[in-house]
Amino acid sequence: YLNYDSLAAGSSTTLRDDEHVIEVDLERGGTQLLVIVSSQKTGAVVEGAQVEWLDAQGNALGTKVSGLDGSVSFNGLELNEQYYATAYAENYLPQRIAFRAQDLEQGSGDQRVLNVQLEAASAGNSSSLTVFVTEKGVPANNATLKFFEVVESQKLPLGIPETKTDVLGSFVGTF
């Protein structure tokens, strides 16, 4: 974790004999993960891609949306650990990549760079999925949908962002 400096935070406390609780929000320190999302076909960066960083068990460590430069960054990367990253943008197929930080390209300072290339969706490589959710025969609107893939008996996020059903209890997506 990063150091906490009470002076930099604009906080000062005089401690006396009484117990005093100080709440401190810590940020992850360590190595930074820089994820750059680009188009597999053109090499152009993809703005607005949802990128999720996951641990080896598939638990989310953070989710961000890529900016104009197609990148997002996360702090707290451990060099010897296994991770996953997913990326999804409209008109592209979702992508999930397994990686070890120590195998990634060295960026500036204490940074590792993961390049994620998204394949454009087309009629030849995607299909439409319709999901209907009901509860006791009644459409369940606003139901949360999460999409996973089972790989070697491990449930991993597919890379499609969490979504909700409409008022008719349905969701239609093309992936």
Side-chain angles (χ1 to χ4, degrees), residues 26-101:
L26 300 177
E27 291 184 34
R28 288 181 176 265
T31 302
Q32 183 182 63
L33 171 64
L34 177 67
V35 180
I36 302 172
V37 183
S38 62
S39 166
Q40 184 180 47
K41 184 175 183 179
T42 67
V45 296
V46 177
E47 176 189 359
Q50 181 171 317
V51 178
E52 188 170 29
W53 175 36
L54 307 116
D55 66 15
Q57 290 72 42
N59 300 310
L61 299 172
T63 302
K64 293 185 179 180
V65 176
S66 64
L68 291 173
D69 63 354
S71 73
V72 300
S73 61
F74 300 98
N75 289 324
L77 191 66
E78 297 294 333
L79 293 179
N80 59 349
E81 295 292 322
Q82 171 81 30
Y83 295 102
Y84 294 97
T86 64
Y88 176 79
E90 194 171 327
N91 300 319
Y92 289 93
L93 299 177
Q95 173 74 282
R96 182 183 60 241
I97 297 176
F99 66 94
R100 286 194 174 280

Side-chain angles (χ1 to χ4, degrees), residues 131-135 138-141 143 145 165 168-170:
V131 177
F132 292 101
V133 179
T134 61
E135 185 175 353
V138 177
N141 68 319
L145 302 174
T165 58
L168 300 175
S170 68

Side-chain angles (χ1 to χ4, degrees), residues 2-15 20 22-26:
L2 297 176
N3 293 334
Y4 174 78
D5 183 345
S6 61
L7 292 178
S11 171
S12 65
T13 304
T14 302
L15 299 177
H20 188 81
I22 300 173
E23 292 187 25
V24 177
D25 293 325
L26 300 177

